[in-house]
Amino acid sequence: MNEKWERPMEVAVKEAIKGGATIIQLREKDAETRKFIETAKACLKICRPYKVPLLINDRIDVALASDADGVHVGQSDMPARVARSLLGPDKVIGVSCKTVEQAHQAWLDGADYIGCGGVYPTSTKANNSTVGLDGLKTICLASKLPVVAIGGINASNAITVLGIGPPNLKGVAVVSTVFDRSSVVGETRKLHSMLTEAVLKAN
């Protein structure tokens, strides 16, 4: 998406942070390892002054080489317990989960949070089955870990997602709704203010 808008990754990261993003996950499915490490280090220099954690998607080797704040792994990636043994106790580890059993295993394996979804269909992942709002709520209620909702979330449905209620549902992860736009900072700011206002009203 950043290539489509002729936007360097570092610019996208800085704009997202300025718009209110609280965690950045760097996802580079097609990048060569050396380039991925260089990009991660450059993004880390942007994130650190703002105290925004940078997580690397899937690649524990890149997280180690760049000294990123942690990783996010899927069910077909390195198990969280192995990632923990490599990264140590202080790095953040997130795990994608679609079932109660997967969420429980993530907790046993030493994960810090789970990403649950896709809540809705998404264009960023091929053949990704959805769990829907009911599945998200079921997993939240069963999980001993904080949960971030992922998949197909945008400005029109994010409040509905956060409104399902469980106190351990801590946020939403977005891609297209922020990065497939001309103004990353504008879209991030709009979504952030909308969600902040909804949370304040709920409390």
Side-chain angles (χ1 to χ4, degrees), residues 109-124:
D109 285 349
D112 295 291
Y113 75 93
I114 63 172
C116 181
V119 178
Y120 301 105
T122 174
S123 61
T124 59

Side-chain angles (χ1 to χ4, degrees), residues 28-194:
E28 286 277 32
K29 292 293 187 183
D30 302 317
E32 293 179 358
T33 298
R34 186 185 296 267
K35 176 64 177 166
F36 197 170
I37 292 169
E38 288 171 0
T39 301
K41 285 181 176 179
C43 290
L44 204 55
K45 283 182 182 175
I46 295 164
C47 291
R48 288 268 157 92
Y50 292 95
K51 299 191 182 337
V52 170
L54 177 73
L55 307 184
I56 305 298
N57 191 71
D58 298 346
R59 298 285 301 272
I60 284 79
D61 59 333
V62 173
L64 283 166
S66 64
D67 193 31
D69 299 294
V71 295
H72 186 94
V73 294
Q75 291 297 316
S76 61
D77 299 319
M78 183 183 290
R81 70 181 179 283
V82 179
R84 176 63 69 206
S85 70
L86 293 169
L87 293 171
D90 299 325
K91 298 293 187 181
V92 176
I93 298 178
V95 180
S96 296
C97 298
K98 290 182 183 294
T99 67
V100 168
E101 293 75 20
Q102 290 172 352
H104 184 64
Q105 190 62 51
W107 174 70
L108 291 176
D109 285 349
D112 295 291
Y113 75 93
I114 63 172
C116 181
V119 178
Y120 301 105
T122 174
S123 61
T124 59
K125 207 163 197 178
N127 305 315
N128 189 34
S129 61
T130 58
V131 299
L133 291 173
D134 289 341
L136 174 63
K137 187 169 186 176
T138 298
I139 290 169
C140 285
L141 292 172
S143 176
K144 294 181 166 104
L145 294 171
V147 179
V148 176
I150 59 177
I153 297 167
N154 55 47
S156 68
N157 60 32
I159 290 174
T160 301
V161 171
L162 283 184
I164 65 169
N168 63 334
L169 179 56
K170 297 298 184 184
V172 296
V174 296
V175 182
S176 306
T177 197
V178 166
F179 294 105
D180 198 11
R181 301 289 188 276
S182 59
S183 173
V184 172
V185 67
E187 294 300 324
T188 309
R189 188 173 287 140
K190 184 168 74 177
L191 185 62
H192 184 269
S193 62
M194 185 190 307

